[in-house]
Amino acid sequence: VVVDVIEGGPASESGIKRGDIITEFNGKAIDSYTDLDDAIAQCTPGDSVTVKLYRAGRFYSTSLNVEANNAQ
């Protein structure tokens, strides 16, 4: 479940919203935060990936451009 979206960040720009459930990232099923972290770690900045998500009873698909993550 997406708990926060940074305004102007890649998730925000791709239409991902707080409360969305990410079900697939770059073709890999996402069942946990660890799965998502692992999938993101396999990307390099500048990659364009497809994200599938569940929102309000419907499934959606969007493209996201991966940026560097400087969070510690």
Side-chain angles (χ1 to χ4, degrees), residues 24-38:
E24 191 175 297
F25 184 92
N26 203 24
K28 297 182 181 185
I30 303 299
D31 296 316
S32 68
Y33 288 112
T34 302
D35 290 346
L36 182 58
D37 284 342
D38 291 346

Side-chain angles (χ1 to χ4, degrees), residues 7-63:
E7 189 173 327
S12 174
E13 295 295 317
S14 68
I16 296 173
K17 298 180 180 186
R18 185 174 182 225
D20 287 348
I21 299 170
I22 297 174
T23 60
E24 191 175 297
F25 184 92
N26 203 24
K28 297 182 181 185
I30 303 299
D31 296 316
S32 68
Y33 288 112
T34 302
D35 290 346
L36 182 58
D37 284 342
D38 291 346
I40 293 170
Q42 293 177 5
C43 298
T44 57
D47 285 351
S48 180
V49 300
T50 299
V51 179
K52 293 185 180 179
L53 51 97
Y54 183 78
R55 176 191 306 152
R58 297 183 68 188
F59 287 93
Y60 296 88
S61 183
T62 187
S63 294

